[in-house]
Amino acid sequence: IVLTQSPGTLSLSPGERATLSCRASQSISSSYLAWYQQKPGQAPRLLIYGASTRATGIPDRFSGSGSGTDFTLTISRLESEDFAVYYCQHYGSSLRYTFGQGTTLEIK
Amino acid sequence: VQLVGSGGGLIQPGGSLRLSCAASGFSVSTNYMSWVRQAPGKGLEWVSVIHSDGNTDYADSVKGRFIISRDNSNNTLFLQMNSLRAEDTALYFCAKSRLRRSFDIWGQGALVTVSS
């Protein structure tokens, strides 16, 4: 299964709403779809698992949705610390893990 | 709860290197543990996993060259990397799986540079 994220780069201003897409090459269970945030020089941080459940300590401005082949990460009101790279990830029936190529969220 | 990785460095093509990842606050033996790498300026690539029952799996790009293992008594995860290639140059993260499906705890990363 290939995960394709779009857009590659998203330029927005603080306070705006961000919508990031992750499309799977075939239908997947939402239970196995996660989202991560990575800032420069840091390890990734788990944001969302099971497509829509926020991980511990993640602010409620982050939300995930979707099913089948189309999944979305939404950040309702961007704060300065949200500008980073975001990855979706799937755990498949092959018992292997796949990441999307990432979306860079940059300050406009 | 944390993972602390070590063992990175500069190695010549064809050489070997072993990465370590010490866990605290949880047991590596009862969790799925993985290595994930990130080439400079690139995205994340899953490398290998060791299941709680000891079974292992590898990405095709490293299969036959890398070996994942763990030391339960020292609560440490390892990645033995052999026959290293330039394309193995990356920051290697160890990571704990949450219910097998995602990665909820990450190490800080160990940089491996394969170059002559």
Side-chain angles (χ1 to χ4, degrees), chain B residues 43-112:
Chain B
L44 301 170
E45 178 190 17
W46 171 78
V47 172
S48 181
V49 63
I50 183 165
H51 301 168
S52 50
D53 64 5
N55 285 330
T56 60
D57 198 8
Y58 302 89
D60 291 343
S61 58
V62 306
K63 204 163 192 175
R65 300 188 298 123
F66 289 13
I67 301 171
I68 189 172
S69 63
R70 68 190 182 207
D71 179 344
N72 296 341
S73 59
N74 288 301
N75 210 23
T76 300
L77 179 72
F78 300 102
L79 185 68
Q80 176 67 41
M81 303 184 291
N82 302 319
S83 303
L84 283 162
R85 307 167 180 167
E87 55 264 36
D88 296 319
T89 293
L91 188 60
Y92 284 75
F93 298 100
C94 53
K96 167 188 166 295
S97 284
R98 182 195 172 280
L99 298 178
R100 301 178 299 166
R101 304 170 185 181
S102 56
F103 303 111
D104 59 349
I105 306 296
W106 294 71
Q108 84 281 14
L111 182 60
V112 174

Side-chain angles (χ1 to χ4, degrees), chain A residues 36 38 49 89 96-97, chain B residues 38 57-58 100-101 103:
Chain A
Y36 301 85
Q38 187 181 32
Y49 61 87
Q89 172 256 315
R96 293 180 171 185
Y97 304 85
Chain B
Q38 186 169 37
D57 198 8
Y58 302 89
R100 301 178 299 166
R101 304 170 185 181
F103 303 111

Side-chain angles (χ1 to χ4, degrees), chain A residues 34-38 45-49 52-56 58-59 62 73 75 85-87, chain B residues 103:
Chain A
W35 289 92
Y36 301 85
Q37 176 194 68
Q38 187 181 32
R45 177 174 70 148
L46 178 64
L47 295 176
I48 301 285
Y49 61 87
S52 61
T53 302
R54 281 188 299 277
T56 302
I58 302 304
F62 291 90
L73 175 69
I75 311 172
V85 181
Y86 292 83
Y87 295 93
Chain B
F103 303 111

Side-chain angles (χ1 to χ4, degrees), chain A:
Chain A
I1 291 178
V2 176
L3 300 178
T4 302
Q5 294 186 239
S6 62
T9 301
L10 185 58
S11 300
L12 294 170
S13 301
E16 291 193 294
R17 180 185 186 91
T19 303
L20 288 68
S21 173
C22 176
R23 177 163 290 177
S25 57
Q26 58 187 275
S27 184
I28 61 175
S29 169
S30 59
S31 297
Y32 297 97
L33 195 285
W35 289 92
Y36 301 85
Q37 176 194 68
Q38 187 181 32
K39 296 180 180 179
Q42 297 184 16
R45 177 174 70 148
L46 178 64
L47 295 176
I48 301 285
Y49 61 87
S52 61
T53 302
R54 281 188 299 277
T56 302
I58 302 304
D60 60 7
R61 64 180 181 273
F62 291 90
S63 62
S65 63
S67 63
T69 60
D70 292 310
F71 297 87
T72 300
L73 175 69
T74 302
I75 311 172
S76 58
R77 292 172 308 278
L78 285 167
E79 299 195 3
S80 57
E81 62 262 32
D82 298 337
F83 292 93
V85 181
Y86 292 83
Y87 295 93
C88 56
Q89 172 256 315
H90 175 249
Y91 177 63
S93 57
S94 63
L95 306 186
R96 293 180 171 185
Y97 304 85
T98 305
F99 289 93
Q101 84 279 17
T103 290
T104 299
L105 179 56
E106 65 176 24
I107 299 176
K108 188 174 182 180

